[in-house]
Amino acid sequence: MINKNLLLTYLYLLIYILLSSGVILYNKWVLSPKYFNFPLPITLTMIHMGFSGAVAFLLVRVFKVASPVKMTFEIYATCVIPISAFFASSLWFGNTAYLHISVAFIQMLKALMPVATFLMAVLCGTDKLRCDVFLNMVLVSVGVVISSYGEIHFNIIGTVYQVTGIFAEALRLVLTQVLLQKKGLTLNPITSLYYIAPCSFVFLFVPWYLLEKPEMEVSQIQFNFWIFFSNALCALALNFSIFLVIGRTGAVTIRVAGVLKDWILIALSTVIFPESTITGLNIVGYAIGN
């Protein structure tokens, strides 16, 4: 007899893998000049944040699905604002990388996330520099270097954007742990989006106004409501699926599922986007990094 709880867990993991892969491929398709040709990553990220913030507001204030936490100005200024700033930065830089490098290579570079998280944790004082962990981090870094060396369409600009986004995301994760736990706050995905999405939207507004607003005024940018609505809906669903998986299995399981998702995504991207060619050296480097 099939265990229903186990079956439900696998179902949640499958949904997470499908949504995570789908959002990445969808973003690449929307941003790439070769496909939908909407080369405005900050604008796309702002659409995601605005939509997520609006949905979270409705769920909290109108439908009462979740209750807001006790939020003082001091907590908002010292916790929500810095976390939102690095969250916005990681999304901005990560989405910008799609304009320059392939989905497959982006996933290979994401192998650096444990390295970045460990370094940020050491700098913030939440972890200690241990020899065994340091050697593992060196091995991961070597794998990423090998993958980069084997990349046919290597682009330094896209690589810098992606690596910067990875370190911004790592710092966000560490700050979330340090600041929120220190204040004793517990945020679920709905309340997280309720507080963080609007603040991230504001942070993105400044670079958007300086970098992308002038371009939108002079160039013929196509805008399709249903494309952007469905794209934002997928991003929102992904946030909720992450909460479901973590709540049911834990952060370690979603990390393992993430590795499986990355391999699937690398394979899928080479089929969907012909320019995402991978080499044997890419695969060897990524295998070492994981």
Side-chain angles (χ1 to χ4, degrees):
M1 185 176 178
I2 299 176
N3 187 308
K4 289 185 178 179
N5 286 331
L6 187 62
L7 192 64
L8 197 58
T9 298
Y10 285 132
L11 178 62
Y12 285 164
L13 286 169
L14 178 62
I15 291 171
Y16 159 72
I17 290 172
L18 290 175
L19 282 172
S20 182
S21 302
V23 168
I24 290 170
L25 293 171
Y26 203 170
N27 285 350
K28 172 66 175 180
W29 181 82
V30 169
L31 292 167
S32 177
K34 293 183 179 180
Y35 299 98
F36 186 71
N37 191 25
F38 186 79
L40 302 171
I42 305 176
T43 305
L44 184 66
T45 308
M46 286 179 69
I47 291 171
H48 289 174
M49 291 297 98
F51 182 76
S52 296
V55 171
F57 178 84
L58 290 174
L59 292 175
V60 171
R61 292 298 182 183
V62 179
F63 299 106
K64 311 293 183 183
V65 173
S67 301
V69 301
K70 186 179 180 181
M71 183 68 65
T72 64
F73 176 78
E74 188 251 340
I75 293 175
Y76 192 86
T78 58
C79 295
V80 175
I81 290 179
I83 290 170
S84 300
F86 286 106
F87 184 47
S89 299
S90 68
L91 293 174
W92 167 18
F93 294 133
N95 282 335
T96 303
Y98 289 121
L99 297 176
H100 305 281
I101 54 180
S102 69
V103 171
F105 186 47
I106 284 173
Q107 297 311 118
M108 292 176 187
L109 288 174
K110 284 183 180 179
L112 278 174
M113 179 57 77
V115 179
T117 305
F118 175 67
L119 290 175
M120 292 300 105
V122 170
L123 288 174
C124 293
T126 61
D127 206 341
K128 294 181 178 179
L129 189 61
R130 303 189 304 276
C131 185
D132 57 335
V133 177
F134 179 74
L135 289 175
N136 285 335
M137 298 301 102
V138 170
L139 185 62
V140 171
S141 301
V142 168
V144 172
V145 170
I146 293 172
S147 293
S148 301
Y149 185 77
E151 175 65 15
I152 295 175
H153 305 293
F154 181 80
N155 181 288
I156 186 64
I157 296 174
T159 302
V160 169
Y161 269 119
Q162 182 59 40
V163 172
T164 305
I166 287 169
F167 275 90
E169 173 64 8
L171 191 51
R172 179 191 75 86
L173 292 172
V174 173
L175 283 176
T176 300
Q177 180 184 356
V178 173
L179 298 177
L180 294 186
Q181 286 184 359
K182 186 178 179 181
K183 302 296 182 180
L185 291 179
T186 303
L187 299 177
N188 61 43
I190 298 175
T191 51
S192 293
L193 289 174
Y194 176 75
Y195 292 108
I196 292 173
C199 191
S200 296
F201 182 92
V202 172
F203 272 107
L204 289 165
F205 181 82
V206 176
W208 172 82
Y209 188 84
L210 295 175
L211 300 174
E212 293 189 359
K213 182 176 180 290
E215 184 179 348
M216 294 177 71
E217 291 174 346
V218 298
S219 59
Q220 296 294 323
I221 300 296
Q222 57 177 328
F223 190 92
N224 185 303
F225 171 80
W226 293 110
I227 292 287
F228 291 104
F229 175 75
S230 59
N231 183 260
L233 194 62
C234 288
L236 180 66
L238 173 60
N239 285 323
F240 289 147
S241 74
I242 292 172
F243 169 70
L244 288 173
V245 172
I246 292 177
R248 193 166 189 86
T249 64
V252 175
T253 303
I254 201 169
R255 177 73 179 279
V256 175
V259 174
L260 175 62
K261 179 262 297 180
D262 288 343
W263 280 106
I264 293 172
L265 192 52
I266 289 170
L268 277 176
S269 66
T270 60
V271 176
I272 297 173
F273 305 113
E275 69 274 13
S276 295
T277 309
I278 58 174
T279 65
L281 203 55
N282 282 144
I283 296 172
V284 170
Y286 187 62
I288 292 173
N290 279 276

